[in-house]
Amino acid sequence: MVTSRSRRRLSPEARRGELIDAAIRLLDSGQDVTNWVQAVTAEADAAKGTFYVYFSSWEEMVAAVRDRVLRDYVDRFHRLAESTEPIDWWATLDAECAAAIGVIARPGGLHAAVFHSKPAPTSASADEEGPDIIAAIAKALRRGMDDGAFREVDPHIAATLLFTVLHSAGDAIAAGERSQVWLEAVRDLNRHWLAPSPTQ
């Protein structure tokens, strides 16, 4: 009998990507996993030994997961900053903040793996800096300032403070505090600080 695993012929890059996708799904699910390597390969429909073809350890896999999640997040902000289409900046900022807080507050190990661990560098990335999420947020905020939606502030400071606020809000909600109160507080804080003054 030919299994689905033996029928699928994937490039090394695609197979590695499938393993990372499987790890992200498992971490995000909040499942109580005792053997992560076995769970990831089963989720990816791959032989257990396949894991060690691409990763030397679970820590190296976490590094790859962290890189993937941050790059996806950074790419989203780059697309905002580089878009030539009109943007409703306040609606976009509200939506991005709510989405980020939702991810941080959701039970499971993905947020902890990405933001609360120090993953081992992989051979491919040991000499490279990871994606700069603060710089990406700052670039999008700068575009919003150029469009006149936000007042002129230092975009790097604004991005750093915003990221810190979102992280704190998500952690508070995860600890049991009311999500709507925090979402409204973040929304109000953004408007008090970033809204242009009447004289601008």
Side-chain angles (χ1 to χ4, degrees):
M1 179 177 176
V2 179
T3 66
S4 61
R5 182 181 300 148
S6 64
R7 285 197 302 266
R8 294 187 309 140
R9 297 188 181 279
L10 300 175
S11 68
E13 182 179 355
R15 176 65 76 188
R16 184 177 185 276
E18 278 202 342
L19 290 169
I20 295 171
D21 289 341
I24 290 172
R25 289 194 299 272
L26 285 170
L27 285 164
D28 202 32
S29 72
Q31 294 182 44
D32 185 14
V33 176
T34 55
N35 186 324
W36 281 102
V37 172
Q38 184 174 340
V40 166
T41 51
E43 177 71 18
D45 191 26
K48 184 177 178 180
T50 304
F51 182 95
Y52 293 104
V53 173
Y54 302 100
F55 305 98
S56 63
S57 64
W58 173 245
E59 289 72 25
E60 188 172 309
M61 165 63 87
V62 170
V65 165
R66 181 177 189 274
D67 187 73
R68 166 74 68 77
V69 170
L70 290 182
R71 286 190 189 283
D72 287 348
Y73 202 67
V74 163
D75 287 347
R76 193 160 73 243
F77 280 100
H78 281 316
R79 286 193 295 271
L80 274 176
E82 295 162 5
S83 172
T84 58
E85 299 296 321
I87 296 173
D88 183 336
W89 281 103
W90 285 110
T92 298
L93 183 61
D94 289 345
E96 289 293 340
C97 288
I101 290 171
V103 169
I104 296 168
R106 188 161 58 236
L110 182 59
H111 175 71
V114 172
F115 293 107
H116 295 291
S117 65
K118 187 177 181 181
T122 65
S123 58
S125 63
D127 298 323
E128 301 174 5
E129 292 185 4
D132 191 340
I133 192 169
I134 299 298
I137 296 172
K139 187 176 180 181
L141 291 176
R142 176 72 263 171
R143 162 80 192 277
M145 294 172 201
D146 291 342
D147 285 354
F150 305 141
R151 76 183 180 95
E152 290 285 338
V153 295
D154 184 309
H156 174 76
I157 293 175
T160 303
L161 290 175
L162 179 59
F163 185 77
T164 302
V165 167
L166 297 179
H167 203 145
S168 297
D171 284 344
I173 295 167
E177 298 190 25
R178 291 171 53 200
S179 61
Q180 193 58 38
V181 171
W182 275 98
L183 288 169
E184 290 174 359
V186 170
R187 182 179 182 277
D188 289 347
L189 180 63
N190 287 337
R191 277 159 175 73
H192 280 301
W193 188 41
L194 290 176
S197 66
T199 58
Q200 277 190 280

